[in-house]
DNA sequence: CTAAATGCAAAGCATTTGCAAATAT
DNA sequence: ATATTTGCAAATGCTTTGCATTTAG
């Protein structure tokens, strides 16, 4: 499925700016507002920050994008995909998606808290292989 | 150990404003900047928001406070204690601390990512017992 | 043709900074 | 006595809004 169809499926009109945003997100995986703005300026010299914000907000509303909050860092955005979690390098800030089976901690949390739980945000901090050595 | 000594142990001068902040945090557990400001205004009518920010920043630097980032909400602050995780009600926003044994997911994450991991942020969203019924 | 998106400038919040006066140690 | 904290006002930074123009469908 290409980017055009993906945007259409989320009720988002297909503009060149949006296509490029999707493209950057595919390549980067995760990006914050400012870096996204910088990445777009070559291709769209007249692009406005307001447009970035409007697009990010619109795309998040349509669940096409997800916002990821990382301790002590700016929020980053990613294309919405099946639930997953994040590992981030404290040195170089590389962010990696990880698939984890969290049924174990969900069970613990439910029995301790008596909350029902339907969403989980997990961000693990450490050093990536490159920065370890 | 009382609040005075706790502040001193973190190289923070003991002012009435700070004592009250600690007191509120003890009682609330978690609070955001604005609510903290509102809670302090009765006791300190002339209190400035700048003072709140300066104190929060100073106390975080000294590791006396910790910042907690919650998806789609304002950051909240808590007194630093041994590592724990958070469960939050999507309806009434009640935040509960939970102690979880996360060795299982840490092992998964390490073997998938090859990152070393030294810090973990987990926020689980759901409904608290009151809001379920 | 109509509704939505873009880009600009202005407005609105949130947070920080500089500085003089007050306070803690 | 000295260094830190407070509170104010101003400055900065981040995000949103309004509006005229352009673009997508």
């Amino acid at each position: 499925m290409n980017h055009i169809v993906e945007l259409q499926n989320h009720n988002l009109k297909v503009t060149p700016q949006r296509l490029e945003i999707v493209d950057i997100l595919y390549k980067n995986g995760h990006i914050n507002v400012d870096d996204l703005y910088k990445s777009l300026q070559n291709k769209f010299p007249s692009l406005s920050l307001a447009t970035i914000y409007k697009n990010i907000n619109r795309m998040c509303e349509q669940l096409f994008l997800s916002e990821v909050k990382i301790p002590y860092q700016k929020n980053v955005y990613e294309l919405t995909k099946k639930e997953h979690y994040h590992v981030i390098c404290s040195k170089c800030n590389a962010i990696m998606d990880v698939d984890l089976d969290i049924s174990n901690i969900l069970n613990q949390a439910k029995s301790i808290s008596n909350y029902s739980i339907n969403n989980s945000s997990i961000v693990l901090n450490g050093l990536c292989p490159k920065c370890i050595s």
Side-chain angles (χ1 to χ4, degrees), chain A:
Chain A
M1 190 164 67
N2 68 36
H3 303 171
I4 294 181
V5 179
E6 293 174 304
L7 285 168
Q8 290 170 336
N9 285 346
H10 289 84
N11 282 306
L12 297 162
K13 287 201 174 179
V14 179
T15 66
Q17 292 86 341
R18 285 186 174 162
L19 278 174
E20 184 67 11
I21 289 175
V22 180
D23 206 55
I24 289 172
L25 284 165
Y26 258 104
K27 286 174 185 152
N28 272 266
H30 313 81
I31 196 162
N32 66 39
V33 171
D34 287 332
D35 290 344
L36 182 58
Y37 182 51
K38 284 176 205 147
S39 308
L40 288 161
Q41 281 183 313
N42 299 320
K43 211 165 206 163
F44 305 99
S46 68
L47 180 84
S48 159
L49 246 185
T51 300
I52 302 262
Y53 279 107
K54 285 172 186 167
N55 275 321
I56 285 180
N57 292 343
R58 193 80 226 297
M59 291 163 134
C60 283
E61 272 168 34
Q62 298 301 119
L63 305 182
F64 184 55
L65 294 193
S66 307
E67 184 179 81
V68 183
K69 287 196 165 192
I70 299 171
Y72 308 105
Q73 302 235 339
K74 294 184 189 163
N75 296 343
V76 297
Y77 298 86
E78 64 182 5
L79 296 161
T80 301
K81 33 189 184 280
K82 97 182 209 311
E83 186 160 89
H84 64 275
Y85 312 98
H86 295 101
V87 183
I88 174 164
C89 177
S90 317
K91 200 165 172 197
C92 73
N93 290 337
I95 299 175
M96 183 177 173
D97 289 349
V98 284
D99 260 324
L100 301 174
D101 174 356
I102 65 164
S103 50
N104 175 336
I105 66 165
L106 287 182
N107 289 335
Q108 292 181 58
K110 283 174 191 167
S111 80
I112 294 171
S113 68
N114 291 312
Y115 279 51
S116 68
I117 294 170
N118 55 45
N119 200 276
S120 311
S121 159
I122 300 181
V123 180
L124 307 174
N125 273 266
L127 290 176
C128 73
K130 282 183 192 166
C131 290
I132 288 172
S133 38

